[in-house]
């Protein structure tokens, strides 16, 4: 390894609670009669023990296909500055497995950078590594709180070479930006088998309600496909704090709508996965892609990273709790009442109770659903409150 070449000046590049339950029945939730059924979480393998060294990278081997609801040409788990014009998954001669990342910088002012956000713990040492092929390929991390030079190689002589670097996070670091890139005018490169090895975070907490004796209830609204002025007007007129769980695609289609309906203090936008699939049917690595990619999309759109994950169909297992934690989520939240599509289902005896989480959806019935939910809260002597301030 030699010093960084001076012959190639840098050019500007284009940028980018309840205890965990084995099933909802354990949480005291009965299956609702609604259009989005609660699916009891399957018995899962035990999560990685806290503190055990684990690979925290998302889609480290580039083996997971993109969802049909993801950005066209995107590489799951990764954001490449040149998009599909520069970066794509290839099955040609990977280091291991069936595929690798191939990057061909589109112009002289591009180094073909690809990045991902990795959730980390403060004051902790991590080892990042990747197998690379090409000339002047770099691997490093920013946002660690302590600057560390990247690992890089002048050439891999046509074969695969492992780059490795270590970094220790600062006292305020909770995420780092892992990056890999080539160098200007140095041609294509490939990447495979990325690792960020460090202690596994504690699994997220699975919950159907918020433990509080305050006379509050929490209104949550999922998906985002149908956005009506009537619902927006009701939220604004009643100054309702809303926790929105939009999918990235409708959120990106109409971000100003979601900004407006979450403008009341206490409101927030949280994570609901990329493709609204049953996570219990996915591997842990696939679950991590669903949660982390949605987090990254919503963070880019709204400027704040989600910390609560709503599993589609309320289907989750122990792997979901760990994958959510690996993506920076602290809570995997279901609900204990459903007022969607004209329903008024409370999944425990009696009226709404302090700390209840009410499920609704962005549909053409939402204005009426909100009115009915607010009336039920008023009848129980409860007020809608902001969810994130109570959970975290």
């Amino acid at each position: 390894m030699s010093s960084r070449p001076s012959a190639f000046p840098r050019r500007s590049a284009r940028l980018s609670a309840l205890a965990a339950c084995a099933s909802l029945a354990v949480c005291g939730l009965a299956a609702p009669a609604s259009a989005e059924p609660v699916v009891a979480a399957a018995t899962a393998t035990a999560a990685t023990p806290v503190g055990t060294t684990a690979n925290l990278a998302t889609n480290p081997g580039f083996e997971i296909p993109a969802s049909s609801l993801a950005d066209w040409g995107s590489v799951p788990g990764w954001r490449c500055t040149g998009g599909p014009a520069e970066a794509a998954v290839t099955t040609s001669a990977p280091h291991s497995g069936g595929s690798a990342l191939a990057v061909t910088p589109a112009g002289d002012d591009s180094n073909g950078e690809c990045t991902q956000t990795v959730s980390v713990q403060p004051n902790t040492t991590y080892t990042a590594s990747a197998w690379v092929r090409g000339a002047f390929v770099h691997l490093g991390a920013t946002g660690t709180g302590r600057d560390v030079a990247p690992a890089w190689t002048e050439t891999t002589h046509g074969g695969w070479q492992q780059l490795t670097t270590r970094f220790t996070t600062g006292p305020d670091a909770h995420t780092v930006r892992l990056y890999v890139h080539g160098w200007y005018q140095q041609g294509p490169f490939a990447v495979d088998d990325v690792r960020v090895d460090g202690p596994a975070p504690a699994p997220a907490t699975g919950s159907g309600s918020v433990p509080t004796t305050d006379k509050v209830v929490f209104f949550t609204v999922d998906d985002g496909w149908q956005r009506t002025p009537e619902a927006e007007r009701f939220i604004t007129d009643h100054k309702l704090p809303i926790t929105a769980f939009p999918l990235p695609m409708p959120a990106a289609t109409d971000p100003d709508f979601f900004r407006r309906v979450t403008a009341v203090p206490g409101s927030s936008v949280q994570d609901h996965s990329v493709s609204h699939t049953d996570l219990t049917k996915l591997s842990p690595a696939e679950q991590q892609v669903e949660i982390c990619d949605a987090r990254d999309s919503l963070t880019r759109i709204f400027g704040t990273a989600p910390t609560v994950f709503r599993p589609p169909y309320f289907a989750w297992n122990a792997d979901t709790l760990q994958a959510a934690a690996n993506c920076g989520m602290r809570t995997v939240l279901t609900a204990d009442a459903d007022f969607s599509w004209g329903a008024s289902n409370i999944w425990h005896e009696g009226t709404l109770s302090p700390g209840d989480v009410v499920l609704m959806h962005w549909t053409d019935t939402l204005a009426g659903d909100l009115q009915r939910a607010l009336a039920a809260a008023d009848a129980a002597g409860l007020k809608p409150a902001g969810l994130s301030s109570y959970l975290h």
Side-chain angles (χ1 to χ4, degrees):
M1 198 176 284
S2 61
S3 61
R4 185 186 292 265
S6 59
F8 305 102
R10 187 169 181 89
R11 313 271 185 102
S12 61
R14 289 172 288 182
L15 305 174
S16 191
L18 295 176
C21 308
S23 73
L24 290 173
V26 176
C27 297
L29 303 185
S34 73
E36 177 159 1
V38 171
V39 179
T43 301
T45 56
T48 305
V50 178
T52 299
T53 297
N55 182 10
L56 303 178
T58 301
N59 194 17
F62 306 96
E63 305 288 339
I64 298 173
S67 159
S68 60
L69 293 183
D71 292 339
W72 179 84
S74 64
V75 178
W78 295 84
R79 183 168 179 81
C80 299
T81 57
E86 291 191 343
V89 173
T90 179
T91 58
S92 176
H95 175 257
S96 71
S99 57
L101 178 68
V103 183
T104 302
D108 291 347
D109 64 344
S110 174
N111 63 6
E113 183 177 71
C114 292
T115 70
Q116 68 171 249
T117 299
V118 181
S119 293
V120 295
Q121 300 175 39
N123 299 314
T124 304
T125 298
Y126 295 85
T127 301
S129 63
W131 287 86
V132 302
R133 186 175 60 207
F136 296 111
V137 188
H138 296 65
L139 170 75
T142 60
T144 64
R146 298 184 174 97
D147 290 339
V148 177
W152 68 283
T153 181
E154 185 172 348
T155 179
T156 66
H157 302 287
W160 287 98
Q161 177 182 327
Q162 189 177 39
L163 299 180
T164 301
T165 184
R166 301 184 76 198
F167 60 88
T168 300
T169 55
D172 300 318
H174 295 281
T175 62
V176 299
R177 175 178 168 274
L178 180 73
Y179 65 83
V180 60
H181 63 70
W183 200 246
Y184 306 96
Q185 305 175 47
Q186 295 305 295
F189 64 92
V191 186
D192 203 359
D193 297 327
V194 180
R195 301 190 65 88
V196 180
D197 290 313
T205 298
S207 181
S209 62
V210 177
T212 181
T213 57
D214 292 354
K215 292 185 176 300
V216 295
V217 68
F218 305 96
F219 289 175
T220 66
V221 191
D222 287 8
D223 298 350
W225 296 112
Q226 293 177 282
R227 303 171 294 277
T228 68
E230 294 82 9
E232 180 182 345
R233 186 161 50 249
F234 190 91
I235 291 168
T236 301
D237 290 348
H238 292 82
K239 297 180 172 59
L240 290 179
I242 295 293
T243 303
F245 289 93
L247 301 174
M249 186 173 284
T253 299
D254 196 355
D256 286 343
F257 173 86
F258 291 100
R259 292 189 184 100
R260 293 192 301 269
V261 296
T262 57
V264 174
S267 298
S268 63
V269 176
Q270 303 293 343
D271 195 321
H272 194 36
S273 82
V274 171
S275 66
H276 205 284
T277 191
D278 179 347
L279 297 187
T280 63
K281 297 179 180 179
L282 303 182
S283 69
E286 291 170 322
Q287 292 196 38
Q288 186 163 321
V289 164
E290 284 282 338
I291 301 170
C292 284
D293 274 6
R295 171 206 62 190
D296 293 344
S297 293
L298 296 174
T299 302
R300 286 194 297 271
I301 295 169
F302 301 109
T304 302
T307 58
V308 182
F309 175 62
R310 161 75 44 86
Y313 312 108
F314 291 1
W316 59 270
N317 54 26
D319 289 334
T320 312
L321 298 182
Q322 189 62 61
N326 291 352
C327 297
M329 305 297 132
R330 303 177 193 173
T331 304
V332 172
L333 185 72
T334 56
D336 41 20
D338 180 11
F339 280 67
S340 304
W341 292 289
S344 298
N345 298 317
I346 301 172
W347 302 326
H348 57 68
E349 292 186 2
T351 60
L352 289 174
S353 300
D356 277 356
V357 176
V358 179
L359 170 70
M360 287 172 274
H361 290 77
W362 299 105
T363 67
D364 57 3
T365 68
L366 180 56
D369 298 339
L370 285 164
Q371 186 171 28
R372 207 167 50 260
L374 185 58
D378 288 342
L382 305 172
K383 297 294 184 184
L387 180 69
S388 58
S389 59
Y390 273 82
L391 283 177
H392 308 134

